[in-house]
Amino acid sequence: MKKSWQYDIGIMMEQRPILIFGATGLVGSELLKILDQENMGLSTASIGRSRAHPLAVGMIHHQASPENWPQYIMNSGAKQLVCCLGTTRKKAGSNEEFFKIDHDLILSVISAAKNAGVEHVILISSAQANAEAKNFYLQTKGMVDKKIRAMNFARLDIIRPGLLRGRRENDSRPLEKMAMMISPLFDILLQGKWAKYRSVRAQDVARAMMTLLMAKGGGSHVHENASIMALSQKLTK
């Protein structure tokens, strides 16, 4: 079963090259691991300011400043794009600098993808993302989601995880680490309509993204906790 699935994936990816942005982050690096471990020989390329490591088998990495990313997208011929870009208010240093990355930079990448004829975009957003939210972080995420949906890609998958669990390289987040430690208790308490706010492993989000790269059909889709976990489990079948 798995060999047949890998064969189908290989044929698809030869026809639909993938671009990955944010491959050095928590989720992006997990996606690289999956690509490497599965050894699918996919036609993939990561683009970023710093070098992605380790690279998956068959992957090319282009290290360039953000102002050059749109031109690379235009020349890539890609049909699928995965965006894992994002930062925090603390790391960015101010709301203004945070906005430049989580709004301006992401929209620059996705707009270039639209102009280049990319058909399928997978975007990491956040649970509770809402353009009308009072929280600046959630408002920014919601604004980006809304603007990208208005671009009318053939297929758009917006992933809205709760707290991401995983080890971040060279990125100390003490409050987030503390939240990870107590998240199992709170996850049990989050039932019914609140279940979508449960924490999730970065690995499961990456596995869900891998499954979505194989998805058929079009339209705009939002994936919260239950959908993320179901998509992640499909990868092993």
Side-chain angles (χ1 to χ4, degrees):
M1 178 66 178
K2 188 173 183 180
K3 290 183 179 179
S4 175
W5 177 79
Q6 288 182 335
Y7 174 81
D8 292 342
I9 268 283
I11 295 299
M12 177 181 288
M13 297 312 171
E14 287 178 1
Q15 299 171 345
R16 302 172 65 185
I18 307 164
L19 297 181
I20 303 173
F21 285 85
T24 59
L26 181 58
V27 176
S29 60
E30 288 293 343
L31 181 58
L32 292 193
K33 291 177 185 177
I34 293 171
L35 289 165
D36 189 43
Q37 291 167 0
E38 296 293 337
N39 193 21
M40 298 174 187
L42 309 183
S43 175
T44 56
S46 63
I47 304 93
R49 284 174 285 196
S50 57
R51 184 164 183 78
H53 182 79
L55 289 178
V57 174
M59 174 173 282
I60 298 172
H61 179 75
H62 294 270
Q63 189 171 345
S65 56
E67 58 265 26
N68 294 323
W69 294 356
Q71 187 60 49
Y72 177 81
I73 296 170
M74 291 295 296
N75 296 333
S76 68
K79 295 300 179 183
Q80 290 181 289
L81 184 146
V82 178
C83 184
C84 304
L85 293 169
T87 187
T88 63
R89 162 65 174 75
K90 181 179 179 180
K91 189 173 182 179
S94 67
N95 284 346
E96 291 74 16
E97 292 303 314
F98 168 80
F99 195 81
K100 287 179 182 179
I101 296 173
D102 275 55
H103 180 275
D104 297 348
L105 182 57
I106 290 177
L107 287 180
S108 172
V109 167
I110 305 301
S111 295
K114 181 65 178 180
N115 293 333
V118 170
E119 298 172 355
H120 182 195
V121 168
I122 301 175
L123 171 72
I124 297 290
S125 182
S126 174
Q128 302 186 71
N130 186 336
E132 305 300 324
K134 293 182 179 180
N135 177 281
F136 183 73
Y137 176 88
L138 298 176
Q139 182 187 74
T140 301
K141 292 293 186 182
M143 289 171 62
V144 170
D145 292 1
K146 184 176 181 179
K147 290 177 181 178
I148 292 176
R149 293 177 83 166
M151 294 180 190
N152 294 316
F153 283 92
R155 182 178 178 104
L156 172 63
D157 289 286
I158 298 176
I159 301 179
R160 291 181 175 172
L163 174 68
L164 288 170
R165 304 198 313 270
R167 182 179 177 181
R168 297 182 185 271
E169 297 294 335
N170 302 317
D171 190 357
S172 177
R173 302 187 185 186
L175 292 179
E176 189 173 278
K177 290 180 180 178
M178 185 179 299
M180 286 186 209
M181 293 176 63
I182 62 177
S183 62
L185 174 60
F186 280 95
D187 288 346
I188 294 174
L189 299 175
L190 294 172
Q191 301 292 333
K193 66 178 182 179
W194 304 106
K196 62 183 178 181
Y197 303 126
R198 290 175 180 169
S199 65
V200 59
R201 296 188 307 167
Q203 181 185 57
D204 285 319
V205 175
R207 290 167 63 84
M209 293 166 70
M210 193 71 238
T211 301
L212 288 171
L213 286 169
M214 297 181 287
K216 297 180 180 180
S220 179
H221 310 269
V222 174
H223 305 278
E224 295 174 330
N225 189 277
S227 177
I228 292 169
M229 296 309 299
L231 288 166
S232 173
Q233 292 168 9
K234 283 185 179 181
L235 192 60
T236 60
K237 296 181 180 180

